[in-house]
Amino acid sequence: MSEGGMRVYLQASHMSKTEPKLDFFAKNTVGFVFDSCPNHFAMNSTVNAFAVGMSPIARFFVRVLWHVVMTIFFIISIVPGVVKRLPWLRFSTFNASREQDMKEAFGDKPQLYITGDKDYICVAWYIEKWAREQQKRIGEDKVLLQRWPDVGHVMAMRDHAKEYSEKIGELVSKCFK
């Protein structure tokens, strides 16, 4: 799944606590493929993609502006009761609850993280760090990580089709053990 798909799944998982119909996803999911995600800020990848064609100075100002906005959202999100009244805020800011939500939603099901060093939208070091944390949490045998030095954002399947398919096969075999 992509960053967007992951956020939809997180929202459905969170809502399934009060809407039993949405529990369908959790009950019928046996594993996860994360291609170029998660990102260390929920919307940072969108900002990075927007700023790609800009001059370095324009990119700098766009990112500074974005971090100011994120700081405001973060401050608002830690005020007691705000997230209950504005549930969309929970998944639009970087906060500790997002990481906890991810751990709860994905549980101990097998996971495959795919990334590349040329991905400037969802940086490889963060994806690798997250995958290593998941390996410690649910076991190295349940979390696979594939990092290619020559792959950009969501280009692994195109650039390494055979190896990509082999990794998916490895994950599927782990899902049905």
Side-chain angles (χ1 to χ4, degrees), residues 30-77:
V30 294
F32 299 94
V33 177
F34 299 95
D35 192 339
S36 297
C37 75
N39 201 350
H40 56 303
F41 284 105
M43 287 294 290
N44 205 38
S45 56
T46 304
V47 173
N48 285 343
F50 174 74
V52 161
M54 297 180 173
S55 70
I57 292 198
R59 247 190 338 261
F60 171 78
F61 283 112
V62 164
R63 289 182 178 144
V64 166
L65 177 64
W66 178 247
H67 288 291
V68 167
V69 170
M70 288 300 293
T71 301
I72 292 167
F73 273 137
F74 176 73
I75 291 168
I76 291 169
S77 74

Side-chain angles (χ1 to χ4, degrees), residues 49-140:
F50 174 74
V52 161
M54 297 180 173
S55 70
I57 292 198
R59 247 190 338 261
F60 171 78
F61 283 112
V62 164
R63 289 182 178 144
V64 166
L65 177 64
W66 178 247
H67 288 291
V68 167
V69 170
M70 288 300 293
T71 301
I72 292 167
F73 273 137
F74 176 73
I75 291 168
I76 291 169
S77 74
I78 60 175
V79 174
V82 169
V83 172
K84 279 188 177 179
R85 288 193 298 274
L86 304 170
W88 58 268
L89 188 62
R90 178 183 190 89
F91 298 101
S92 63
T93 60
F94 175 74
N95 56 37
S97 68
R98 180 175 186 251
E99 289 194 14
Q100 185 59 37
D101 289 334
M102 289 172 70
K103 289 173 185 172
E104 287 175 16
F106 304 124
D108 63 350
K109 295 175 181 174
Q111 303 167 15
L112 167 60
Y113 293 88
I114 297 171
T115 187
D117 291 340
K118 291 188 177 180
D119 187 342
Y120 301 109
I121 296 173
C122 295
V123 291
W125 67 264
Y126 181 78
I127 294 170
E128 186 170 351
K129 176 182 170 256
W130 177 260
R132 299 283 180 229
E133 288 172 12
Q134 298 314 299
Q135 286 176 331
K136 288 178 191 166
R137 189 175 68 79
I138 64 174
E140 285 189 30

